[in-house]
Amino acid sequence: MANVKKRPLYAKMNDLMYPAMFSPKCFREAMEYKPKPGDVFIDTYPKCGTTWMQNVAMYIFRKGKELDHPSDFLQCAPFIDMLGQEGIDKMPRPGAFKTHLPYSRVPYSPDAKYVFVARNPKDCCVSFYYHARNEPGFGFWDGEFNDFFELFMAGEVEYNDYFDHLLDWYPHRNDPNVFYTTYEDMKKDIKDVILRLSKFLGQEYIEAIEKDNNVLNNIIHFSGFQYMKKHLADVWDIDKEEKHTGRMYYGLQHIKESLKALKLPEDLPEPEFVRKGIVGDWKNHFSAEQNERLNAKFLEKLKVNFGPAK
């Protein structure tokens, strides 16, 4: 790997890298959780459409009813790797947990359901870079894309290697309790994805859509990019969350204390929880050499796991 001048701040548990600002207690609780019948998990590698799918699923469960306040998103669609058992216990049901754990580490039960979203690794890498740069807890606000690319290629980022994560899940894409889709399919035809996911989640949800077309229209609208960008902009603002709800998750408090320990510059990049939401942004960032290297790694991973093309 080329010499990397700066790395985001990560921790490691059981050989799995995760954000250093996360509570180890909460992260362990997420991995050790024993699913209950009816639990639903939304699982992706980071920056592969997680927030979008969280909103789609949440509004399917809510049958198109808008949240009372954007901050309720944290409770209704909790990121359990960050919030641990407290996030699991406080989620109104029916609902779906968010996690980035690979298939071999995710809390598994045949009586639970799993929604997995894949994405072009090039777009994932670019979005992942901005995620690391714009979140102060990573200490990477002045990090460069070329450095992050090297880390991404080496699998030395949170949740380890993109391809290993994908290939851990991919063989299970047709399991009866797994719903598999891609970010690109969601961009191409979100209505089709919503209808198929509604059937997967339960008969009452597809019936709600069939009985009232406004339900489908609302799900599309409330999970749309422009709506999310406007309403979820402050969803991870810990102080605003505490002020609005009067509560503070232990996992968020841990992040707040971690940030205090960092020497934050005054000119931090503007946080963007929802950034561009497009396909093909990698073309604005990758050099020709980087493109060739990632293509080569992709082909090598396929060959190792599925054998040479015939």
Side-chain angles (χ1 to χ4, degrees):
M1 184 174 69
N3 184 41
V4 172
K5 297 188 291 292
K6 189 165 188 177
R7 298 166 179 261
L9 300 175
Y10 298 130
K12 185 178 287 189
M13 184 178 295
N14 299 341
D15 294 322
L16 189 63
M17 297 177 72
Y18 67 98
M21 59 186 143
F22 282 13
S23 157
K25 171 182 176 292
C26 292
F27 194 72
R28 186 178 301 280
E29 288 172 349
M31 289 198 292
E32 295 180 349
Y33 173 62
K34 304 301 181 185
K36 300 176 182 177
D39 277 352
V40 178
F41 294 81
I42 294 171
D43 198 318
T44 74
Y45 189 74
K47 311 315 295 179
C48 287
T50 329
T51 302
W52 191 5
M53 181 55 79
Q54 281 180 279
N55 278 269
V56 168
M58 181 177 69
Y59 280 110
I60 289 174
F61 283 130
R62 294 177 63 82
K63 299 176 182 176
K65 182 180 181 294
E66 188 176 17
L67 287 176
D68 294 330
H69 191 278
S71 288
D72 295 335
F73 174 78
L74 289 179
Q75 184 175 17
C76 293
F79 183 16
I80 64 172
D81 305 5
M82 182 181 72
L83 300 179
Q85 190 65 45
E86 185 181 15
I88 293 169
D89 293 341
K90 289 184 176 180
M91 184 189 75
R93 294 173 182 266
F97 309 124
K98 165 189 169 180
T99 180
H100 292 311
L101 295 171
Y103 182 86
S104 55
R105 305 287 187 94
V106 76
Y108 182 80
S109 167
D111 297 319
K113 293 182 178 181
Y114 301 84
V115 179
F116 183 78
V117 185
R119 188 183 189 184
N120 182 323
K122 299 172 188 178
D123 280 333
C124 169
C125 178
V126 170
S127 184
F128 211 171
Y129 161 67
Y130 283 104
H131 170 71
R133 196 194 71 169
N134 293 342
E135 293 294 333
F138 288 109
F140 195 66
W141 47 79
D142 55 351
E144 298 180 358
F145 176 74
N146 288 344
D147 282 345
F148 190 85
F149 175 83
E150 296 299 333
L151 296 172
F152 185 85
M153 288 291 292
E156 295 181 10
V157 290
E158 57 182 295
Y159 299 93
N160 301 7
D161 186 80
Y162 164 94
F163 296 99
D164 291 342
H165 191 284
L166 174 63
L167 292 170
D168 202 21
W169 272 99
Y170 192 74
H172 303 280
R173 67 194 183 280
N174 294 320
D175 290 0
N177 64 336
V178 173
F179 180 91
Y180 172 88
T181 191
T182 68
Y183 186 92
E184 291 74 20
D185 282 344
M186 293 176 71
K187 290 290 292 185
K188 181 179 179 180
D189 193 347
I190 189 61
K191 178 179 177 180
D192 176 69
V193 172
I194 290 171
L195 293 175
R196 292 189 293 109
L197 181 59
S198 297
K199 292 178 182 177
F200 174 78
L201 293 176
Q203 186 63 27
E204 70 174 285
Y205 305 112
I206 190 63
E207 287 180 354
I209 289 174
E210 291 172 344
K211 290 178 180 178
D212 185 354
N213 195 53
N214 287 325
V215 173
L216 176 60
N217 291 336
N218 286 346
I219 295 170
I220 294 173
H221 175 66
F222 295 140
S223 63
F225 175 76
Q226 293 301 329
Y227 181 91
M228 291 191 297
K229 191 170 181 65
K230 178 181 178 181
H231 290 83
L232 298 183
D234 296 329
V235 75
W236 294 117
D237 188 314
I238 297 174
D239 291 328
K240 287 185 178 180
E241 159 73 8
E242 185 174 25
K243 183 177 180 180
H244 168 69
T245 63
R247 62 175 181 263
M248 176 58 75
Y249 287 96
Y250 172 79
L252 293 182
Q253 186 65 46
H254 188 278
I255 292 175
K256 189 174 182 179
E257 295 302 318
S258 297
L259 290 175
K260 289 181 180 179
L262 294 175
K263 295 181 179 179
L264 302 179
E266 295 183 359
D267 57 340
L268 282 171
E270 187 69 24
E272 288 186 290
F273 183 52
V274 178
R275 196 175 68 89
K276 281 191 174 181
I278 63 175
V279 172
D281 192 34
W282 67 269
K283 297 175 184 177
N284 299 316
H285 296 77
F286 274 49
S287 67
E289 179 193 18
Q290 289 170 337
N291 185 39
E292 291 176 4
R293 287 175 58 195
L294 197 144
N295 286 344
K297 180 172 182 177
F298 180 73
L299 292 174
E300 181 62 28
K301 285 287 187 177
L302 288 179
K303 185 169 66 175
V304 169
N305 286 273
F306 300 107
K310 297 181 180 179

